Amino acid sequence: MRQRMKSVLLGLASGVMAGVFASAILAAPAQATSLCDRPEPPPSCWGGGGEGPDPVPVDHAARGALDEVSFVGNGVRVRGWAADIDTSNSLLVDIYIDDVFTQTLTANTYRPDVAAAHPSFGAYRGYDAFVPSRHGAHTVCAWAINVAPPGANPLPNHQLGCKTYNMPVVTNIVSSYDSLAKQWMIAFDDNVVGETRFDVRWDYYVWVTVPGTDWSYNQPRTWSTTLPAHEGTGRVTLPLLRPANATKLTISAPGFGSVSITNL
């Protein structure tokens, strides 16, 4: 009798445990499904085949460089490249000289080196132009104008770089005696266009003896003259008298605001 009661009790216990496990197994999927079956499911549900919110547009900074700034006579040659993955159009590039806006360029010239380094941009991403500028010391900066996708928070324009140059009116001044022509010559590089003449001034000295003594001293003096204008830029060579005991030669072009001095 005892043995039969023990068997009955074990059977009832097994049935209860099986029912509990079955309820747990059936309840698990229902609970998991309910997490994603809401008007606003959690982000973890978006990767499970359901559609999430539309992605927010993102603006990307432009790429590029300012490769060259060189003075070429009343202006500078500005060369570089610019591109933006947010547009297939050519970018605009603003040029500033000494923090003052000067000119807008279009980056659409052929640059195979850019295409080789950045195939997705293509080759026609360069800018290469003459920008009016003056001689002297100046800083040139290039800025790529940003293009933002619709709906994106736009980034500021991207600075492609800055370069400085220092170009006097004339450079490489040389005064020498031509033994064949038997005269003194002057030569220099003309770096500006449109001058009307060149003004030349010699600094020299003469020895002066104090009357009634053997003592003498050098007395500074100057002598000025002009040279004709030179067409375009380049090397200028002209005959020019040179005073004895010359110490300094100064050349300027009226209206261009700077002088070039050579100590002799």
Side-chain angles (χ1 to χ4, degrees):
M1 185 66 177
R2 287 183 180 178
Q3 188 65 29
R4 182 177 300 175
M5 287 294 294
K6 185 177 182 180
S7 299
V8 170
L9 291 174
L10 287 175
L12 290 172
S14 299
V16 170
M17 292 299 295
V20 170
F21 286 131
S23 299
I25 293 173
L26 291 174
Q31 184 179 3
T33 302
S34 65
L35 290 176
C36 298
D37 246 353
R38 300 177 179 180
E40 296 183 4
S44 59
C45 295
W46 296 347
E51 292 185 2
D54 293 336
V56 178
V58 177
D59 188 17
H60 302 85
R63 303 279 299 277
L66 174 62
D67 296 325
E68 178 186 351
V69 171
S70 55
F71 193 84
V72 291
N74 291 4
V76 288
R77 180 191 181 191
V78 179
R79 187 178 68 87
W81 69 276
D84 193 331
I85 65 173
D86 294 321
T87 180
S88 60
N89 296 329
S90 300
L91 288 190
L92 298 179
V93 177
D94 282 353
I95 303 299
Y96 285 76
I97 299 179
D98 299 331
D99 295 326
V100 177
F101 171 75
T102 305
Q103 190 169 324
T104 297
L105 310 179
T106 301
N108 60 359
T109 63
Y110 185 59
R111 287 290 299 267
D113 58 319
V114 174
H118 308 280
S120 62
F121 290 152
Y124 289 89
R125 298 298 181 183
Y127 58 92
D128 189 343
F130 173 86
V131 178
S133 183
R134 294 181 62 82
H135 58 279
H138 301 280
T139 300
V140 180
C141 296
W143 294 81
I145 305 304
N146 181 64
V147 177
N153 186 25
L155 295 173
N157 296 333
H158 178 65
Q159 187 184 81
L160 302 175
C162 294
K163 291 184 180 295
T164 60
Y165 72 91
N166 187 1
M167 184 57 65
V169 173
V170 299
T171 51
N172 302 321
I173 304 172
V174 175
S175 173
S176 60
Y177 185 75
D178 188 335
S179 57
L180 294 178
K182 299 186 183 304
Q183 61 181 346
W184 282 94
M185 306 291 294
I186 187 174
F188 57 87
D189 291 334
D190 174 13
N191 299 319
V192 296
V193 176
E195 72 277 1
T196 58
R197 70 176 190 274
F198 291 102
D199 290 341
V200 180
R201 190 187 76 182
W202 291 98
D203 283 63
Y204 67 103
Y205 64 88
V206 296
W207 287 102
V208 177
T209 301
V210 177
T213 70
D214 294 331
W215 184 68
S216 61
Y217 63 95
N218 57 45
Q219 185 180 74
R221 294 188 180 180
T222 62
W223 173 66
S224 299
T225 186
T226 62
L227 295 173
H230 171 255
E231 184 178 355
T233 60
R235 192 70 174 167
V236 178
T237 302
L238 295 169
L240 181 67
L241 291 176
R242 172 173 170 167
N245 303 322
T247 59
K248 186 167 62 177
L249 174 59
T250 303
I251 300 178
S252 62
F256 286 89
S258 71
V259 298
S260 299
I261 300 174
T262 297
N263 293 317
L264 303 171

